[in-house]
Amino acid sequence: MARGTETILSAGIDIGTSTTKIVISKLSLRNTAGLTHMPRIEITEKEVIHKSPVIRTPFRTEKEIDMKKVEEFVRTQYQKADINAEEIKTGAVIITGESSTKSNAQELIGQISEYAGDFLVATAGPDLESIIAAKGSGAVELSQSTSKTVANIDIGGGTANVAVYQYGKLLGTCTLHVGGKLIEWNKGKIEYISPFIKEANKQSGINLQEGDYVSDEILKEVTNLMAQTIVDMCELKIEENHPLLLGELPNWEKSIDIVTFSGGVSECMYYPDSCNQEQLYNDVGGLLAKSIINHDGLSAFEVKRPKETVRATVLGAGTQTTEISGSTILVDNGVLPLHNIPVYNISFEDGFPETLSRLPEDMKRGIDLYDPHQEGVNFALYLYDLPVLGFKDIQRLAKSLVEANQQKVTTQPLLVVFERDLAKSLGQTIQVQYPDVQLVCIDQIKVEHGDYLDIGNILTSGVAPVVLKTLTFQ
């Protein structure tokens, strides 16, 4: 690649329980290695070039997102940004909170990917949503600059997604059934109460039923309960059977120093005088914000306003989800793009010959884990802790990988990921010795066991945009 800079456009689309928004960003790629070193392409600048207004998420029915209105909104924002869908090369569309449970959520993801550009689609589970929001809000950067343990709590309409960082490293995640739209009303009468809130109310003796007239006194009891749940979670005091806990218990060990809040409810926390959410949305978002602000338990932490609040998730989706592979990669034509590829890790710390001899067993474990019903689900092998390899070692590794890959029920591309610059030498060896094997071999990417990858088409610079999706930390 030339030593100049390549720019690509990235889109972030967030379809949440309460609101939907879009950002379009320009990512600058540059070779940061010296003239005599192996090329290393990195994202050196991220510039947001268009922010959409924040609109209410359109629904056709209680259980169905209005796909036509979402499509119209996306197309309109692209026109305002003066870009074509074909110019979008990376990014993420995420359906977050309770919107992800709607009957047509998965169909909407597929449809958006057809008209919104050639970008990588990441459907956010609660853990991924927590991470994206923490990155987009600036909480991760704050943990790096202060060396303190920072918890970002992103509170939307249906969930509160929590990610805890120290020194920029993820310590853990947690998700709560806490949000503004878990209780809604119409013309002064309660119209909807989330089943999780109903159970929490029952356990706490709070008498609130659908059909009741709105009472700030009783609603405040509910939002105080939500605020208490947040504090209990931060202090690692929440119990496993708590009705407002979504999934697993908090899985970090260090005490939290700083708490930042993002998401729609945070707007009511930081701008209480201008927030009239009860009238705007007929929900408890505004009351929840007051309950959190006034909770004595928060005084145990340093509460800071992050750089981004209501747009934290969509900014994270548009600017923080993409990584860049090494430039010394090898990919067969027609294999990319790939979506939702699970990763199986293989460590060579026990020694190169020993690990090679176990490759068939490791591949079998990967098949049992990701394709137990023999349906042809493919997965990538992440090889790490490798020693310095000579030419004959590369040949032996190529032979072992190809033979192990033959255990799969159908003929599938061999997908290999390295952290070190080994992809091209291994890939060329496989191409020469096994020309019938389809191959994707990329490097300079660090992943964890259980992660998922989206790998986009090769860019002009010879690198591939990669979205790393850490869907769970349990």
Side-chain angles (χ1 to χ4, degrees):
M1 165 192 177
R3 295 274 164 183
T5 298
E6 178 182 3
T7 60
I8 58 174
L9 293 182
S10 173
I13 303 174
D14 177 19
I15 304 166
T17 308
S18 299
T19 60
T20 292
K21 49 267 186 193
I22 297 172
V23 298
I24 298 169
S25 307
K26 183 188 295 182
L27 308 182
S28 297
L29 311 182
R30 190 165 60 86
N31 183 5
T32 59
L35 290 170
T36 59
H37 292 79
M38 187 83 72
R40 186 173 186 87
I41 313 303
E42 294 183 356
I43 298 173
T44 54
E45 290 183 34
K46 301 171 184 179
E47 177 191 357
V48 176
I49 60 175
H50 179 74
K51 291 182 183 179
S52 78
V54 179
I55 67 165
R56 295 191 67 174
T57 297
F59 291 95
R60 288 185 65 243
T61 66
E62 183 181 320
K63 296 183 178 180
E64 196 172 345
I65 301 167
D66 192 326
M67 294 197 294
K68 186 175 180 181
K69 287 187 178 178
V70 171
E71 180 177 350
E72 288 173 357
F73 177 62
V74 173
R75 292 190 191 280
T76 299
Q77 295 309 310
Y78 278 24
Q79 289 171 2
K80 289 184 176 180
D82 194 26
I83 63 162
N84 297 316
E86 295 76 19
E87 297 177 76
I88 302 294
K89 296 303 178 187
T90 187
V93 52
I94 54 177
I95 298 185
T96 58
E98 293 208 331
S99 290
S100 62
T101 67
K102 302 305 179 185
S103 60
N104 63 338
Q106 199 59 43
E107 182 184 355
L108 177 60
I109 282 286
Q111 186 166 320
I112 286 180
S113 67
E114 290 180 6
Y115 64 74
D118 182 23
F119 67 93
L120 310 173
V121 181
T123 310
D127 289 305
L128 179 62
E129 186 181 349
S130 302
I131 295 165
I132 289 174
K135 290 181 176 180
S137 71
V140 177
E141 184 182 345
L142 180 64
S143 77
Q144 292 172 315
S145 62
T146 61
S147 301
K148 293 185 177 181
T149 304
V150 180
N152 188 73
I153 305 175
D154 189 81
I155 310 176
T159 56
N161 301 288
V162 187
V164 179
Y165 281 82
Q166 186 181 44
Y167 305 118
K169 180 181 178 182
L170 180 69
L171 300 183
T173 59
C174 185
T175 305
L176 303 174
H177 291 291
V178 169
K181 297 195 76 64
L182 297 182
I183 300 176
E184 298 179 89
W185 56 83
N186 186 28
K187 297 180 180 178
K189 188 178 286 189
I190 301 293
E191 198 170 63
Y192 170 75
I193 304 175
S194 160
F196 308 105
I197 296 295
K198 287 180 181 178
E199 181 59 29
N201 289 348
K202 180 181 175 182
Q203 292 185 16
S204 301
I206 299 172
N207 186 20
L208 183 68
Q209 307 291 331
E210 287 161 346
D212 290 352
Y213 282 97
V214 172
S215 162
D216 280 358
E217 186 178 346
I218 297 180
L219 288 175
K220 190 176 178 182
E221 289 185 50
V222 182
T223 57
N224 285 346
L225 175 62
M226 291 191 206
Q228 181 64 54
T229 305
I230 289 174
V231 172
D232 288 344
M233 179 270 306
C234 288
E235 295 179 341
L236 300 177
K237 293 179 180 178
I238 192 168
E239 297 179 354
E240 191 171 7
N241 60 352
H242 196 294
L244 298 187
L245 177 65
L246 196 169
E248 303 292 332
L249 287 166
N251 55 353
W252 58 88
E253 297 178 357
K254 291 182 180 282
S255 297
I256 293 169
D257 301 313
I258 299 174
V259 175
T260 59
F261 290 95
S262 61
V265 171
S266 74
E267 288 285 283
C268 295
M269 296 174 62
Y270 301 124
Y271 307 105
D273 295 336
S274 60
C275 181
N276 200 14
Q277 194 159 337
E278 288 87 346
Q279 282 69 39
L280 284 173
Y281 295 107
N282 290 329
D283 63 30
V284 295
L287 286 174
L288 175 58
K290 292 175 185 175
S291 290
I292 295 171
I293 290 170
N294 295 326
H295 197 290
D296 292 338
L298 273 185
S299 62
F301 311 100
E302 183 183 355
V303 179
K304 283 195 169 188
R305 178 185 165 187
K307 289 182 177 180
E308 295 290 345
T309 54
V310 69
R311 287 187 172 88
T313 303
V314 71
L315 281 166
T319 63
Q320 303 290 336
T321 54
T322 300
E323 295 186 24
I324 298 298
S325 75
S327 58
T328 55
I329 64 176
L330 198 145
V331 178
D332 284 334
N333 293 331
V335 180
L336 299 181
L338 292 170
H339 301 293
N340 294 322
I341 300 298
V343 177
Y344 190 85
N345 285 17
I346 298 177
S347 170
F348 281 74
E349 64 180 355
D350 291 338
F352 186 70
E354 292 80 5
T355 307
L356 276 191
S357 67
R358 291 200 309 267
L359 263 180
E361 298 170 34
D362 286 330
M363 183 67 78
K364 178 66 166 57
R365 290 193 192 97
I367 293 170
D368 291 342
L369 179 63
Y370 294 122
D371 194 20
H373 303 298
Q374 302 290 295
E375 296 171 326
V377 177
N378 205 358
F379 58 93
L381 298 177
Y382 176 59
L383 309 184
Y384 64 104
D385 287 336
L386 280 153
V388 176
L389 301 181
F391 177 67
K392 289 192 175 181
D393 293 328
I394 294 286
Q395 287 184 317
R396 290 168 63 196
L397 178 59
K399 182 175 185 291
S400 297
L401 286 170
V402 170
E403 290 178 352
N405 200 53
Q406 291 171 352
Q407 297 180 69
K408 294 175 182 175
V409 65
T410 58
T411 302
Q412 297 170 327
L414 173 60
L415 311 178
V416 185
V417 181
F418 296 101
E419 186 178 5
R420 288 173 42 204
D421 295 307
L422 284 169
K424 195 147 199 170
S425 55
L426 176 69
Q428 288 175 336
T429 301
I430 292 175
Q431 277 189 333
V432 170
Q433 294 186 348
Y434 307 95
D436 295 333
V437 173
Q438 275 198 307
L439 181 68
V440 173
C441 215
I442 65 173
D443 55 27
Q444 293 186 17
I445 296 291
K446 186 174 183 179
V447 291
E448 300 290 343
H449 191 67
D451 287 351
Y452 283 69
L453 294 175
D454 287 348
I455 308 173
N457 288 313
I458 302 297
L459 303 175
T460 305
S461 51
V463 299
V466 178
V467 169
L468 168 63
K469 297 186 282 190
T470 303
L471 301 184
T472 178
F473 293 93
Q474 316 304 334

